Amino acid sequence: MLETADAGPRTALDRTTARRHIGTFQVPDHVTSMEFRLPGARLETTNVTESDGTNGVVRVTRISEGPGITDYVTHEKDFAYSAFGIHVGQDDRLTFFGEGQRIAVHLIDCREDSPQLGDEITIEMAVSPHRVLIIPKGVAHTLDGLGGVVTRDEPVWYADQNPDWEPDNDLVSFLRSSRQAPVVRTNRHELPVAAHLLLSRMSQQTNAQDQGAYAARYRVSIGGSTTYATLRPAWRAAETGADAHPWSSRNNFVLTGPESFTVVPSTDSCTSDVLEVDLDGSRAEGTDGADGGTGRFVRHEYSRRRLTWLAGSTDAQIEVVAADGEHSVIRLGDPTIGVRVPPGTWYRFTGSGRVWLRSEMELLDLQPWALDHPLGRDVTTSTLSGAVTSRPEQDGDRYLPGPALHALARMEAKAISLTR
């Protein structure tokens, strides 16, 4: 049972604080860990490896330590925030991916019990997969320079009896132009990992049914009383193309802009890696990929993958070989669409430029199961001449339950953090 907090009178929602900017912090490009002048706001080093054996993949950003849930926010070229947002029951853990962009992060301490209430800082840094920015609950934040950048959030969620908290939407917003910032009470009770998984699965189901716009709550005065009003933009949801490949299907998402999306997990493990892929030009049909680039095919013997384009070149495609030997090409470049690659299927990335992809995995439940199960070590590569046919997906294929794979991914994250 949650400990009851004294909510105080309803007029407590009127509380505001003056903003005081106390400093701008420049983060050197090589720095991945750093503390800032707001309690709890900091950078931590992420878990990055230099490929996973898949041709064309130059970098893999795995989950960091924590609950292991992975949500993504994409941003169109002209994206801009007009408001600050405060999470009452969530720590944000943000990793940024893109092609060398520089961003500015603006933070205001809005926590009612903070000795630095009202203090504001600015953090300026380059986008890098090597660091995660921690924004504690109760700290207002907005960002500049996000056009073309994708953000991964690995949130930590909290619950409480709290007049400022709404379980369906804990985001409190206010305009950037405001000289005053709301004062909020934050939740105190961190949820267990099982509850994180449950909430993520609920988010999947909700966003699979209704691709609406992301709502924000603002404090308003109605009849002399202060309350929260939820505002939802009238953006139009994207639609899946009618000519989609059978292995393509719509992701679970909500709009955060006319062409920006919050993409939540598709699998029951609720976790994923980010692949940075260096494409080597066109499909080069008829070549054997001897140059070692993306001309070579790859397959995963013991896992099914779901790949989603997040950022980078829109000239990206994935070429797949079916069980009957037929080749087909699936266009990437749309974060609302995911491509399923069955186990034993030959595929390769084609196109030009550099892309960032979400890689979700479902692991075959081999019998007998053992600790030497090839988690992430099931990659086979081949030239064009060797990728003749893929094995058909079996109706009897069984996959490891999502919570078990989630636990394995968190164990792997811990192991990588101890050895980097």
Side-chain angles (χ1 to χ4, degrees):
M1 178 179 296
L2 292 178
E3 179 183 347
T4 302
D6 180 11
R10 190 66 176 171
T11 55
L13 294 181
D14 286 323
R15 296 166 299 166
T16 62
T17 183
R19 296 167 55 178
R20 298 179 300 276
H21 197 277
I22 61 172
T24 296
F25 299 86
Q26 300 279 349
V27 179
D29 289 351
H30 68 279
V31 171
T32 60
S33 179
M34 189 173 181
E35 300 281 341
F36 300 108
R37 287 177 58 190
L38 289 184
R42 64 194 185 278
L43 292 172
E44 292 182 354
T45 305
T46 53
N47 290 325
V48 178
T49 59
E50 299 300 319
S51 181
D52 64 349
T54 304
N55 259 277
V57 174
V58 296
R59 188 173 290 111
V60 182
T61 306
R62 306 189 187 277
I63 63 170
S64 59
E65 292 185 70
I69 305 298
T70 51
D71 297 332
Y72 296 84
V73 182
T74 69
H75 305 95
E76 68 260 34
K77 181 179 179 181
D78 298 324
F79 183 91
Y81 280 116
S82 61
F84 277 90
I86 312 168
H87 287 298
V88 175
Q90 173 178 318
D91 291 341
D92 276 330
R93 300 173 58 84
L94 308 178
T95 305
F96 303 96
F97 303 89
E99 301 191 72
Q101 296 95 323
R102 298 197 68 83
I103 61 175
V105 184
H106 309 281
L107 305 178
I108 307 172
D109 197 335
C110 297
R111 295 167 288 192
E112 65 174 7
D113 57 352
S114 173
Q116 294 184 230
L117 180 65
D119 284 356
E120 179 176 353
I121 66 171
T122 299
I123 303 167
E124 297 180 350
M125 63 183 180
V127 167
S128 170
H130 293 281
R131 52 192 174 215
V132 56
L133 172 66
I134 314 298
I135 304 177
K137 53 189 166 65
V139 173
H141 50 281
T142 194
L143 299 94
D144 294 320
L146 286 179
V149 173
V150 62
T151 303
R152 180 171 76 177
D153 193 5
E154 302 172 88
V156 179
W157 289 319
Y158 301 79
D160 210 334
Q161 293 191 8
N162 179 355
D164 286 315
W165 185 48
E166 168 56 51
D168 289 335
N169 181 6
D170 85 330
L171 184 69
V172 178
S173 297
F174 63 98
L175 294 178
R176 293 181 66 160
S177 58
S178 174
R179 294 184 179 181
Q180 299 283 319
V183 176
V184 299
R185 177 174 301 172
T186 59
N187 291 353
R188 297 167 297 170
H189 308 288
E190 182 176 342
L191 296 179
V193 171
H196 279 78
L197 281 168
L198 174 62
L199 289 173
S200 185
R201 295 298 307 279
M202 292 170 64
S203 177
Q204 289 183 46
Q205 294 178 8
T206 299
N207 292 322
Q209 297 170 5
D210 179 21
Q211 281 74 43
Y214 196 84
R217 292 186 302 146
Y218 290 82
R219 286 182 183 172
V220 297
S221 180
I222 301 176
S225 297
T226 300
T227 187
Y228 283 111
T230 298
L231 303 182
R232 188 181 302 276
W235 295 318
R236 184 178 177 181
E239 296 293 336
T240 303
D243 58 347
H245 190 278
W247 289 353
S248 297
S249 60
R250 188 167 60 181
N251 285 322
N252 306 316
F253 68 91
V254 63
L255 282 85
T256 46
E259 294 294 335
S260 297
F261 309 92
T262 295
V263 184
V264 303
S266 299
T267 63
D268 60 355
S269 72
C270 302
T271 188
S272 60
D273 297 329
V274 176
L275 308 181
E276 184 176 341
V277 183
D278 185 14
L279 304 170
D280 69 342
S282 66
R283 189 157 58 97
E285 188 171 358
T287 67
D288 64 1
D291 59 0
T294 51
R296 293 183 66 85
F297 282 82
V298 64
R299 70 179 178 187
H300 304 285
E301 304 288 352
Y302 309 111
S303 59
R304 178 166 62 193
R305 305 298 171 104
R306 184 178 176 89
L307 302 169
T308 298
W309 179 94
L310 297 171
S313 172
T314 56
D315 186 36
Q317 302 175 112
I318 178 171
E319 180 181 359
V320 297
V321 183
D324 61 4
E326 180 182 354
H327 289 235
S328 58
V329 175
I330 308 170
R331 187 185 68 84
L332 299 173
D334 183 349
T336 71
I337 303 298
V339 178
R340 176 177 58 88
V341 181
T345 298
W346 291 109
Y347 73 95
R348 64 178 175 181
F349 299 116
T350 66
S352 60
R354 188 165 293 238
V355 296
W356 286 262
L357 306 175
R358 177 181 70 171
S359 176
E360 298 175 289
M361 180 173 65
E362 295 172 282
L363 195 63
L364 283 176
D365 188 2
L366 303 179
Q367 296 294 329
W369 201 88
L371 291 177
D372 61 352
H373 195 296
L375 173 63
R377 301 185 303 276
D378 64 343
V379 175
T380 302
T381 62
S382 174
T383 62
L384 177 63
S385 58
V388 180
T389 60
S390 300
R391 85 161 176 87
E393 192 168 13
Q394 305 293 327
D395 291 338
D397 283 345
R398 299 195 312 170
Y399 293 89
L400 201 64
L405 181 57
H406 181 91
L408 286 174
R410 293 180 67 236
M411 291 171 58
E412 180 185 54
K414 179 67 174 180
I416 293 174
S417 69
L418 291 173
T419 57
R420 63 170 178 251

